[in-house]
Amino acid sequence: MLAPYPPMGWNSWDCYGAAVTEETVLKNAEYMAAHLKQYGWEYIVVDIQWAQPTASTHMYEPFSDMTMDEWGRLIPAVNRFPSAKDGLGFKPLADRIHALGLKFGIHIMRGMPRMAAHRHLPVKDSAYDCAQVADPHSICKWNPDMYGLRQDHSGAQAYYDSIFRLYAEWGVDFVKCDDIAREYPHCEREIELISTASRSCGRDIVLSLSPGPAPIERAEHLKTWSNMWRITDDFWDEWRLLKGMFERAEKWCIHAAPGHWPDADMLPVGALRQCYEDDGAGPAFGERAHANWTNFTPAEQRTMMTLWCMMRSPLMIGAEMTKNDDFTLSLLTNAPLLAIEKESWCAHPLCTNDLESVWVAPRQDGDGCYVAVFNLSDETRTVEASIETPFTEAVELWTNEKDAALSKELPPHDCAVWRVRR
């Protein structure tokens, strides 16, 4: 089974936007192998615009000239990914990451490059050209590079088959497909085409769909055709977004199970926005925003990590990991907390209101459960969990303290989480 547990890894978007390079990917992969792999972190994912030679910031460059092969398939820009020269694509980079004991992933947009259609390039192993398969009326609202495909045209499946065969040749283990998870009903059939191509390419590839919010009423379709899907738009380091995630987590937690995981998005911890302009507060990041470090307080970061683990969301680090400080590293290497992802099931909130939330996650082996309490208010307050099952021991996973009761006085936006034994 693909993705029997929520995938854990690193994605380049939060720190490098569109400007990620091979050098950056490798240094983060080496850091993960040395410091995080033993805790379950394994995916290294190159996010958007890797085929654009001129990408140098977090911004998209309208109608840029993307690099592609003779069949209209995007290939890495060699000035940014030098090992892709001579038509090797991402295979040399994937090989180096695999040699570290890690897995390699890439971001794609749904559809095909507009220039592939304009140039009437042939669709590999089909009788069609890209102009016949592309749908010029199906476009992304925020990125101008691609056309969606004519979903009922047989050439659409042929095109998706061709790109996933290429990814299999490169050694890709994870594909994040963008501009699709929230595009129901328009892209429902396109999700099926992409999933079919992924599953028939000859290599196990985890399929992730973005961005959200995906519609909750299409949960069964998402579970059938993908391994993870976004339940939110881009998640950044703002308390209002984190507090709002409790409502999303409550709706989606019942759909988390082996092979398919609701995705609360990346973890904006540590060194973020490494190529973003240091222009102070901005509307995209909130009033406290600055260019190169998370705006979440330590308490808010504990709350985020705890909620993601309790709801069993995939965990994707957004930081430039080589700049991790001791606190950030401690967040990412809390083994008892991370174990919740693999050892629990059927997590759900016992109560949530504007001031607090209490969650419980039974253990799969029947040996007790995990209980988390969250202070969602702006004042210090005591939050208590009441569970019916008697217990003999409760160990708080952030402090490693044994507590006689599931109650804690918490600073604003902080949490506590216990491993409870019968």
Side-chain angles (χ1 to χ4, degrees), residues 79-253:
N79 62 318
R80 295 169 56 203
F81 297 90
S83 69
K85 65 182 181 180
D86 302 323
L88 295 176
F90 272 129
K91 183 171 177 19
L93 179 56
D95 286 348
R96 291 190 64 177
I97 288 171
H98 292 154
L100 294 169
L102 303 174
K103 296 179 180 180
F104 178 65
I106 60 173
H107 171 288
I108 66 171
M109 297 289 290
R110 68 176 177 90
M112 67 172 57
R114 295 187 185 189
M115 292 309 300
H118 296 170
R119 296 171 186 172
H120 291 266
L121 297 179
V123 175
K124 186 173 174 58
D125 299 326
S126 85
Y128 308 105
D129 71 33
C130 290
Q132 293 172 295
V133 178
D135 181 359
H137 300 289
S138 177
I139 58 176
C140 177
K141 297 175 183 178
W142 44 267
N143 181 285
D145 298 329
M146 312 290 280
Y147 288 138
L149 303 189
R150 300 182 189 276
Q151 298 172 36
D152 294 327
H153 193 295
S154 58
Q157 187 67 72
Y159 182 79
Y160 279 127
D161 287 346
S162 75
I163 65 172
F164 273 89
R165 284 196 298 269
L166 180 64
Y167 304 156
E169 293 169 6
W170 288 346
V172 171
D173 306 294
F174 182 104
V175 168
K176 172 186 173 182
C177 185
D178 215 337
D179 189 37
I180 200 163
R182 67 183 176 206
E183 299 301 320
Y184 283 87
H186 172 65
C187 290
E188 183 166 330
R189 175 60 179 150
E190 200 154 4
I191 289 172
E192 296 171 6
L193 297 174
I194 292 165
S195 180
T196 297
S198 174
R199 295 174 182 183
S200 62
C201 71
R203 184 177 180 85
D204 287 341
I205 297 178
V206 170
L207 180 59
S208 169
L209 305 181
S210 286
I216 187 71
E217 63 271 16
R218 303 305 292 143
E220 296 306 317
H221 187 264
L222 289 158
K223 289 155 66 174
T224 299
W225 295 99
S226 65
N227 301 114
M228 50 188 275
W229 59 90
R230 285 265 296 279
I231 64 173
T232 179
D233 202 342
D234 284 5
F235 177 78
W236 282 100
D237 44 341
E238 296 181 62
W239 170 246
R240 67 175 181 86
L241 297 178
L242 178 50
K243 187 173 182 179
M245 194 64 72
F246 282 83
E247 180 180 357
R248 298 184 187 279
E250 181 172 355
K251 291 179 180 178
W252 281 103
C253 63

Side-chain angles (χ1 to χ4, degrees), residues 307-360:
L307 179 62
W308 267 234
C309 288
M310 289 294 287
M311 68 172 287
R312 303 182 78 193
S313 169
L315 302 177
M316 288 288 169
I317 301 163
E320 166 53 70
M321 292 187 290
T322 65
K323 297 183 179 181
N324 281 351
D325 60 4
D326 290 344
F327 176 77
T328 304
L329 184 59
S330 72
L331 283 174
L332 304 175
T333 57
N334 185 332
L337 180 79
L338 296 173
I340 299 174
E341 296 263 21
K342 294 185 176 180
E343 296 175 355
S344 70
W345 65 340
C346 301
H348 58 279
L350 297 179
C351 68
T352 298
N353 56 47
D354 193 55
L355 299 179
E356 63 186 45
S357 183
V358 178
W359 277 65
V360 63

